[in-house]
Amino acid sequence: MIITYKLHEIAPYINWIYFFHAWGFQPRFATVVNIHNCNACQNSWLSTFPKEEQGKAIEAIQLFKEANSLLSTISAKYCASVLFHLYETNSDGDNLIIKNELGKSITLPLLRQQTTHTDGQPFLCLSDFIRPLSSGIPDKIGIFASCINTKMEQLHEQDLYKRLLVQTLADRLAEAATEKAHEYIRKEVWGYAPEENLSITDLLAEKYQGIRPAVGYPSLPDQSVCFLLDKLLDMKQIGITLTENGAMHPHASVCGLMLAHPAARYFAVGKIGEDQLEDYARRREKSVKDMRKFLAQNLQ
């Protein structure tokens, strides 16, 4: 299934906190998106900051104005695409066994936490939220990829500031398209939450059932997983290609998993030992050297 959105359709789903983070602003400055665009409201908002931070707050106001001006200019010219498929799956230890459209099983190896929790919490793996193969009952998993029209990223090539503005806005729009599509999938396509009625604020606060870990997230840190997901989705259908290291092009792209289990939650795999690195490499049918490159940030 491919869903195409005009930019004005997904703009309300932008998580501005991460947009401002990309520009070096702390989350409190992102609250500028909640005020009216008038002098009185802006002055009232500025007064909530200590004097030493008001200069930074004024910069946030200007940045938000310029981002919205740019969005208004390009919203009718470009679009976002979301590619999604729902597959039958089961967990087998730390692996997911996913059946493609032809009934062929594809193994998706995952990583499990190894760092001891001081509060005694269990060591989590994403496979924990999928029904085990031994149950004999198939479960479901969603696989997705989203991107922004690559031509948008090429705007303002001669203006460094505007180009950076376009790129950071494109990143947020790709995530916004995924957010909107995920809402539709939960309520209608997959249909496990048909009565869901959440505000945009609640959606961005992830108050819905299930999780949507993307490749590169702390619970799915191995970028080479993109190759496995591409085998299932054929991402070039929406214009996404992969580099030899699994990075997606266009840059404003995201892919990952959708899990529906009510207890599913985000977590960080964190540091892993040589034993898991070797086991993971074996399950990925790759060399330890190759996997070490992709998991450098997770190695002890």
Side-chain angles (χ1 to χ4, degrees):
M1 179 180 73
I2 296 176
I3 310 172
T4 301
Y5 294 117
K6 292 293 186 181
L7 298 189
H8 70 85
E9 296 179 281
I10 58 176
Y13 292 79
I14 293 175
N15 191 327
W16 289 100
I17 288 177
Y18 294 107
F19 172 84
F20 280 99
H21 174 75
W23 286 87
F25 289 87
Q26 294 179 327
R28 61 182 177 277
F29 293 100
T31 57
V32 68
V33 306
N34 300 321
I35 65 173
H36 293 108
N37 186 22
C38 66
N39 289 334
C41 292
Q42 291 176 3
N43 289 334
S44 177
W45 179 75
L46 284 172
S47 70
T48 65
F49 291 88
K51 288 184 178 181
E52 62 270 19
E53 291 187 346
Q54 288 184 3
K56 189 78 169 178
I58 291 172
E59 291 177 23
I61 291 174
Q62 186 61 30
L63 178 62
F64 186 54
K65 284 182 178 179
E66 291 170 355
N68 274 285
S69 176
L70 173 62
L71 185 57
S72 177
T73 302
I74 64 177
S75 61
K77 300 178 183 178
Y78 303 100
C79 62
S81 299
V82 181
L83 176 61
F84 171 80
H85 201 93
L86 190 61
Y87 294 97
E88 182 179 303
T89 189
N90 285 106
S91 62
D92 184 15
D94 293 348
N95 293 338
L96 295 182
I97 311 300
I98 302 172
K99 286 190 177 180
N100 66 12
E101 296 95 326
L102 301 177
K104 181 180 178 180
S105 294
I106 293 179
T107 300
L108 173 57
L110 298 167
L111 292 163
R112 184 173 295 278
Q113 294 174 316
Q114 282 188 279
T115 304
T116 302
H117 300 291
T118 56
D119 57 3
Q121 290 293 312
F123 300 95
L124 293 176
C125 178
L126 288 174
S127 63
D128 296 340
F129 306 121
I130 297 293
R131 187 177 284 115
L133 187 63
S134 60
S135 70
I137 304 171
D139 206 340
K140 292 181 179 179
I141 192 169
I143 311 291
F144 74 89
S146 304
C147 70
I148 297 297
N149 188 309
T150 188
K151 291 183 179 180
M152 178 178 162
E153 291 189 336
Q154 297 168 2
L155 294 173
H156 302 296
E157 290 186 332
Q158 305 306 315
D159 187 321
L160 182 59
Y161 172 74
K162 288 186 177 180
R163 183 163 176 77
L164 184 57
L165 189 61
V166 167
Q167 291 175 341
T168 51
L169 191 56
D171 288 344
R172 290 301 97 215
L173 286 165
E175 292 281 2
T178 309
E179 190 73 74
K180 184 173 176 62
H182 193 194
E183 179 184 35
Y184 170 61
I185 289 162
R186 290 191 304 273
K187 297 170 72 171
E188 299 188 40
V189 180
W190 196 336
Y192 69 82
E195 304 302 320
E196 179 184 290
N197 184 25
L198 299 175
S199 66
I200 297 292
T201 300
D202 286 341
L203 289 175
L204 297 181
E206 300 165 353
K207 293 186 178 181
Y208 46 77
Q209 178 181 322
I211 57 175
R212 188 181 69 242
V215 175
Y217 274 38
S219 56
L220 195 60
D222 177 10
Q223 185 172 272
S224 72
V225 166
C226 288
F227 293 117
L228 296 175
L229 301 189
D230 191 34
K231 285 183 179 180
L232 289 162
L233 289 177
D234 187 16
M235 297 182 202
K236 67 177 179 290
Q237 292 183 78
I238 59 172
I240 296 176
T241 57
L242 302 177
T243 69
E244 63 180 10
N245 291 321
M248 290 182 286
H249 183 270
H251 181 271
S253 302
V254 60
C255 68
L257 314 176
M258 293 182 182
L259 287 74
H261 196 293
R265 62 182 177 87
Y266 293 105
F267 61 90
V269 168
K271 298 296 183 180
I272 63 172
E274 288 291 319
D275 56 340
Q276 185 169 185
L277 174 64
E278 293 172 5
D279 175 70
Y280 183 70
R282 177 186 57 77
R283 290 185 285 126
R284 283 295 315 275
E285 299 182 340
K286 301 289 184 181
S287 69
V288 172
K289 179 181 178 181
D290 283 344
M291 288 298 94
R292 188 182 301 278
K293 175 181 65 176
F294 285 110
L295 295 172
Q297 298 300 314
N298 294 85
L299 299 178
Q300 294 178 356

